[in-house]
Amino acid sequence: MIISELDWELFVLISALLGLLYAGIQSYLLLKIPVTEEKPLSIAKSIMEGSNAFMKRQYKSIFTFAIFLAILIFIAFYFSEGLGNAWKVTLGFLVGAIGSAVAGLIGMNISIRANVRTAITAKKGLNPALRLAFRGGTVTGLSVASLALLGLIVFYMWFGNPQLMVGYIFGASLVSLFARVGGGIYTKGADVGADLVGKVEAGIPEDDPRNPAVIADNVGDNVGDCAGMGADLFETYVVTALSSMLLAYLIYLSYPSVIGQNGVILPLVIGGFAILATIIGTFFVRKNEKERIMRALYKGLIATVIISAVFFYIADYYLMNGNVAIYVDSLVGIVIMLIMVYITEYYTSERYAPVAKIAKASVTGTGTNIITGLAYGLQAVFIPAVVIVSGIIISYGITFYSFGQNAQMGLYGIAIAAASMLSATGIIISIDSYGPITDNAGGIAEMSGFDEKTRKEVTDPLDAVGNTTKAVTKGYAIGSAALAALTLFAAYKTVISSQFPQIEIDNPLVVSGLIIGAALPFFFTSFLMNAVGKAAFAIVEEVRRQFKEKPKILEWQDKPDYGKAVDIVTKEALRQLMVPAIVAVLTPILVGFILGPLALAGVLLGVILSGFPLAIMMTVGGGAWDNAKKYIEQGNYGGKGSEAHKAAVVGDTVGDATKDTAGPAINPLVKVVNTISILFVVIILTHYLIHL
């Protein structure tokens, strides 16, 4: 049976629409559940108002900058490539930016509506609350993956040339960077400030309604973990799929008889099958009485990847004539994803040694807690590095030899491995979004005065697992970002190969670029860490002021001013937003125009080489610190209020800034640097040749 390229394009389009339809049905079923209890509803409304206010102000800042960039992109391409390409690239940039923003808003808004329903449902038991929280996560997961795939297939059917779609990935990357930075600064500034004054100084529990920063903290979960992660994974999906298509298209131009047009659309077909597999996989998330919560979530993940593996064989059979190497590449991507998930859980789950040892180290004080947490964060880098390297070597090698020792096809093998990791995007985001939903649900239960049994036996266990699910998602995103960035680098190298057939490591320009690129993630994250510190300082001062001026707050006789704390951290986060984003955008442009294409190639490699391990260290280490605190709060080493608990709270505040702000923001940083380089590479190359 012969299936035309148009048939496959329609298949991808229908798959994306089916994913959105399923997400809509899940959303309808979720919102159908009535919220009749006044106090939880009032708290949820406060969280919603704070979240919407922040997102409105943040997106105003983002799109002011984006429109300015769109004008520059149009002008640059108009004079270099003409009106025909200029408007296409600019339109792609704007649609990518809007798509990333919409993905973030969907994640945030469904989470806000799911959290109060999960809190109330928790009174019925663990399983009903788990199912409801995961349903909310499913809406986000399938919406993000389906929106990304829909944008890609519409632009491909319209333009027919992935090179004209590069603006789309730059727009998605830019908004993802802003959303990660702004949301990350907000959420951790509020969280750290609330913990330092509430838990450490005032000795009140987490999510205690007497804490003036408690609403700001819950708002942060939504604008950071939901909106930020939604935008981030939308961008990850778009960048990974389109970078694979772009590389395939460039190879096709040189070796049309080797790869053909089918190789270009294959990453999108993989994405289409993955949407179908994710829909099926969501039905496998069920928990038995004695089963761990994480195991119940993993059943959905395992089902999704098994079904995807079967579907990928069908795609390979019809599109690539059943080439075994290409199919193995897709399996390599799945295996990399599964190993990354397991490694992240090992280092961040309370079930394993690292978290327990960090908790034990807290007995001797803050210093040993931080030292031990840092040690495990650093240790967590090595095995993922080995896994990624193994995946690169296997996927490159098997495709290289399968296509007659063709180096370009070897790179395509890496691209297919990266694209196949997308098979888990929908279910991974579903599992991730479960985390902030249960976190907020626990806060609402605490503030609403729910009985202790509901909190200890339902919302607390759900929340503790949520920390691991969020860490797992970050590990997945980092691994896929590394492979996607390598694919983008391969595309960049292909574009400049006519003038620079070899990028030699001992070339002074390449070395200079490597050093600049390797230093960039450290310089970038320094702004974010400082920003969290400043936001937390502002919150600490505000909470202290309210406790001082209204001492009866702690005696339950006066009400805190939640709105003031929300407003303060919003202003501080937005004030700190622009500088790191501008650094990320300007660095590759300045290096390209001042030092040339070879130096820029070094920058692209350098930012990958240092960004990958730094992101792993920060996110995994931070997750371990957080769960070490929760491990103590379960009654170990003295429990809540003990000296070990106070030390763990301080360690957690350090981890908050690394795991939810600085670490995750490295992903879009790496991809922004690569995508803006691809976007402007022809202009940079022309500038270089003119001034040679």
Side-chain angles (χ1 to χ4, degrees):
M1 182 173 66
I2 299 174
I3 303 176
S4 69
E5 184 182 4
L6 179 60
D7 292 332
W8 285 115
E9 290 172 354
L10 291 174
F11 163 75
V12 175
L13 181 64
I14 292 168
S15 297
L17 293 174
L18 278 175
L20 289 173
L21 176 63
Y22 184 76
I25 292 170
Q26 293 300 307
S27 179
Y28 170 76
L29 294 173
L30 176 71
L31 298 178
K32 219 176 129 182
I33 299 170
V35 182
T36 55
E37 296 187 35
E38 186 59 36
K39 195 162 186 181
L41 182 59
S42 174
I43 295 166
K45 283 182 177 177
S46 296
I47 296 171
M48 182 184 296
E49 288 170 4
S51 301
N52 287 335
F54 174 79
M55 294 304 293
K56 184 177 179 181
R57 290 164 72 170
Q58 177 177 251
Y59 280 161
K60 184 178 178 181
S61 300
I62 292 173
F63 279 97
T64 299
F65 186 60
I67 290 171
F68 172 73
L69 270 180
I71 294 170
L72 289 181
I73 290 169
F74 180 82
I75 293 171
F77 276 83
Y78 177 77
F79 286 107
S80 64
E81 298 188 27
L83 179 63
N85 287 350
W87 75 264
K88 290 178 181 177
V89 173
T90 306
L91 177 65
F93 169 76
L94 291 172
V95 173
I98 292 169
S100 189
V102 169
L105 286 174
I106 289 173
M108 185 191 77
N109 280 292
I110 199 65
S111 174
I112 291 170
R113 288 161 174 79
N115 57 26
V116 64
R117 289 168 170 82
T118 301
I120 294 171
T121 305
K123 292 181 178 181
K124 299 178 182 178
L126 185 63
N127 282 338
L130 169 63
R131 286 195 296 271
L132 189 56
F134 182 72
R135 173 172 285 168
T138 300
V139 175
T140 303
L142 277 164
S143 296
V144 170
S146 300
L147 274 174
L149 186 62
L150 182 63
L152 287 165
I153 189 59
V154 167
F155 271 117
Y156 183 68
M157 292 174 76
W158 187 5
F159 295 163
N161 181 351
Q163 287 181 299
L164 298 176
M165 298 165 62
V166 174
Y168 185 58
I169 58 176
F170 180 49
S173 297
L174 183 72
V175 171
S176 170
L177 180 68
F178 274 102
R180 263 303 186 194
V181 170
I185 293 169
Y186 184 106
T187 183
K188 291 305 113 179
D191 193 357
V192 170
D195 281 355
L196 288 177
V197 183
K199 290 183 179 179
V200 178
E201 293 185 8
I204 57 178
E206 186 171 2
D207 296 317
D208 193 296
R210 292 171 292 177
N211 192 331
V214 70
I215 295 295
D217 186 7
N218 282 279
V219 168
D221 292 331
N222 292 290
V223 301
D225 291 330
C226 294
M229 179 55 77
D232 189 1
L233 268 296
F234 176 91
E235 175 248 10
T236 295
Y237 195 107
V238 168
V239 171
T240 305
L242 189 49
S243 61
S244 303
M245 294 174 68
L246 179 60
L247 180 61
Y249 184 76
L250 294 172
I251 297 171
Y252 168 71
L253 295 179
S254 301
Y255 307 98
S257 61
V258 174
I259 190 169
Q261 285 279 13
N262 284 350
V264 180
I265 199 174
L266 178 60
L268 295 188
V269 175
I270 286 174
F273 275 126
I275 295 289
L276 302 181
T278 300
I279 292 173
I280 299 169
T282 59
F283 291 99
F284 286 82
V285 178
R286 294 288 183 272
K287 181 182 178 302
N288 300 325
E289 284 301 320
K290 296 182 180 180
E291 197 171 38
R292 292 190 302 120
I293 297 171
M294 201 69 201
R295 181 178 174 82
L297 296 172
Y298 278 161
K299 284 194 293 188
L301 175 62
I302 297 299
T304 299
V305 298
I306 290 174
I307 296 165
S308 293
V310 175
F311 283 160
F312 291 172
Y313 178 79
I314 297 172
D316 175 63
Y317 180 82
Y318 283 107
L319 285 164
M320 305 301 291
N321 298 316
N323 186 284
V324 175
I326 297 296
Y327 181 60
V328 171
D329 291 334
S330 67
L331 297 182
V332 167
I334 291 175
V335 171
I336 290 173
M337 179 273 298
L338 290 173
I339 296 175
M340 290 292 291
V341 166
Y342 175 75
I343 293 168
T344 307
E345 186 191 0
Y346 174 78
Y347 280 100
T348 58
S349 173
E350 300 162 45
R351 298 179 61 246
Y352 299 108
V355 167
K357 289 183 178 178
I358 295 170
K360 185 177 181 181
S362 306
V363 174
T364 52
T366 303
T368 46
N369 169 282
I370 292 176
I371 290 169
T372 308
L374 183 61
Y376 278 111
L378 292 166
Q379 185 186 106
V381 171
F382 185 72
I383 298 177
V386 172
V387 170
I388 293 293
V389 167
S390 300
I392 290 170
I393 292 172
I394 293 170
S395 56
Y396 179 91
I398 193 169
T399 316
F400 173 78
Y401 287 107
S402 175
F403 285 87
Q405 301 187 24
N406 187 315
Q408 296 279 26
M409 289 305 297
L411 294 173
Y412 181 68
I414 298 174
I416 292 301
S420 71
M421 289 183 73
L422 296 178
S423 62
T425 299
I427 195 75
I428 286 285
I429 302 174
S430 301
I431 293 171
D432 171 81
S433 298
Y434 153 96
I437 289 172
T438 55
D439 192 347
N440 269 197
I444 291 171
E446 177 80 30
M447 288 183 278
S448 300
F450 285 9
D451 62 275
E452 190 174 350
K453 182 179 179 183
T454 298
R455 298 199 306 270
K456 284 196 171 182
E457 295 184 9
V458 181
T459 58
D460 284 355
L462 289 173
D463 182 22
V465 170
N467 278 325
T468 301
T469 66
K470 288 184 284 187
V472 161
T473 305
K474 294 179 185 103
Y476 163 78
I478 292 164
S480 61
L483 289 179
L486 283 171
T487 304
L488 284 170
F489 173 76
Y492 176 87
K493 183 176 180 295
T494 302
V495 172
I496 68 169
S497 61
S498 59
Q499 296 298 323
F500 303 99
Q502 298 294 328
I503 299 176
E504 297 173 344
I505 194 68
D506 58 350
N507 185 304
L509 287 173
V510 177
V511 173
S512 300
L514 280 168
I515 294 172
I516 293 170
L520 183 58
F522 293 89
F523 185 59
F524 173 78
T525 53
S526 72
F527 286 102
L528 305 190
M529 296 292 284
N530 267 321
V532 171
K534 290 175 182 177
F537 179 84
I539 282 290
V540 167
E541 290 293 295
E542 172 59 21
V543 175
R544 284 174 177 168
R545 181 192 68 78
Q546 291 197 34
F547 282 162
K548 183 178 179 180
E549 294 180 4
K550 298 180 180 180
K552 292 185 178 180
I553 289 176
L554 292 173
E555 299 171 13
W556 301 94
Q557 295 178 19
D558 210 341
K559 187 177 179 181
D561 185 353
Y562 300 125
K564 183 68 174 174
V566 170
D567 187 59
I568 284 174
V569 75
T570 296
K571 289 179 179 176
E572 194 62 41
L574 294 177
R575 189 179 296 121
Q576 305 293 331
L577 175 65
M578 294 303 296
V579 173
I582 291 171
V583 166
V585 171
L586 286 184
T587 299
I589 293 176
L590 291 176
V591 170
F593 280 104
I594 295 172
L595 297 180
L598 278 180
L600 184 54
V603 169
L604 303 190
L605 277 178
V607 77
I608 297 168
L609 293 177
S610 73
F612 170 73
L614 184 61
I616 290 283
M617 186 273 288
M618 286 186 155
T619 54
V620 173
W625 266 314
D626 194 343
N627 273 344
K629 176 200 68 177
K630 282 185 165 52
Y631 183 78
I632 293 173
E633 289 175 345
Q634 291 172 3
N636 300 294
Y637 302 114
K640 290 184 179 181
S642 65
E643 291 303 312
H645 183 235
K646 290 179 181 178
V649 168
V650 176
D652 177 38
T653 60
V654 176
D656 278 338
T658 64
K659 75 181 173 66
D660 288 326
T661 305
I666 294 173
N667 284 345
L669 167 72
V670 170
K671 285 173 282 188
V672 160
V673 170
N674 277 270
T675 55
I676 200 168
S677 301
I678 288 285
L679 186 64
F680 287 99
V681 62
V682 175
I683 300 172
I684 290 171
L685 195 58
T686 303
H687 175 269
Y688 174 82
L689 294 174
I690 290 172
H691 293 86
L692 189 63

